Amino acid sequence: LYPLSYGSAGVAVFFVISGFCIHLNYARSRHRGWGAFFVRRFFRIYPPYLAAVFLFFFFWGWYRQEDAGRQLLTHVIGVHNLDDQTAFGINPAFWSIGVEIQLYLLFPVLMGLVTHWGWGRAMWLTALAEGGLRMLGAIQTWKGGEALPMWLSLSPFSFWFSWALGAHLAECFLRKG
């Protein structure tokens, strides 16, 4: 069963695929503005996500919880992954949707870095961000301390390199195609 212990690697693979798909979609789009891009992404992702949040919230009884309002609000605005109390609330798998929403918002920043510094330096910067946060978490655990707070460990910067790698792979794909 040892290979099954690498399940968390699937999260990184998910973010690589996500970055690939988002960049490919943006690069192939006839509408180059960020506004149009975000509107398309919003209406493709948010309505089904919101329906799922409400389904789990009301049908699984989350509305009866003491922190129900906080849970619902943070999930609706997509920042639940940044709070220790809400990161795994309503539906534990939804933490990745919060990160995904925040990575979408960081996409123009990534593209700005690429425009000014090129893909190589942009990738190094994102690797430093993700690697630094992961190293900080590993050191904290190794020292026997508490785990990093969610606003660090589940922040979009903890997955930024994985996501940027997918975007860079999409750019390479487009240039060869």
Side-chain angles (χ1 to χ4, degrees):
L1 295 178
Y2 184 68
L4 297 178
S5 66
Y6 290 112
S8 63
V11 173
V13 171
F14 166 78
F15 285 115
V16 170
I17 292 169
S18 172
F20 183 92
C21 292
I22 293 304
H23 184 71
L24 194 65
N25 181 285
Y26 178 76
R28 288 181 170 172
S29 174
R30 286 170 278 182
H31 311 287
R32 282 298 186 156
W34 288 112
F37 171 76
F38 284 122
V39 167
R40 283 192 316 277
R41 296 312 314 157
F42 177 85
F43 283 106
R44 184 176 187 138
I45 303 291
Y46 194 72
Y49 165 68
L50 196 57
V53 165
F54 282 114
L55 176 79
F56 281 94
F57 185 78
F58 289 109
F59 290 119
W60 273 267
W62 270 95
Y63 65 92
R64 293 188 207 113
Q65 302 294 322
E66 183 178 314
D67 66 342
R70 180 178 176 188
Q71 288 285 344
L72 187 60
L73 177 64
T74 59
H75 278 75
V76 166
I77 62 175
V79 295
H80 55 283
N81 60 302
L82 302 175
D83 185 329
D84 290 359
Q85 302 302 312
T86 61
F88 301 113
I90 298 184
N91 182 325
F94 286 169
W95 71 266
S96 64
I97 302 295
V99 173
E100 190 75 15
I101 290 167
Q102 294 150 22
L103 285 167
Y104 287 176
L105 295 175
L106 280 174
F107 186 48
V109 174
L110 174 64
M111 297 316 298
L113 292 171
V114 168
T115 299
H116 292 306
W117 292 345
W119 277 104
R121 287 185 182 161
M123 294 304 293
W124 272 107
L125 181 66
T126 60
L128 285 171
E130 182 173 331
L133 285 171
R134 293 189 184 275
M135 185 66 72
L136 185 61
I139 291 169
Q140 189 81 356
T141 302
W142 179 65
K143 285 183 158 184
E146 291 184 29
L148 290 178
M150 294 298 169
W151 64 269
L152 277 177
S153 65
L154 292 183
S155 81
F157 298 105
S158 292
F159 304 94
W160 204 17
F161 174 73
S162 301
W163 205 74
L165 178 61
H168 181 59
L169 292 172
E171 185 67 26
C172 293
F173 173 78
L174 288 168
R175 287 185 182 177
K176 289 183 180 178

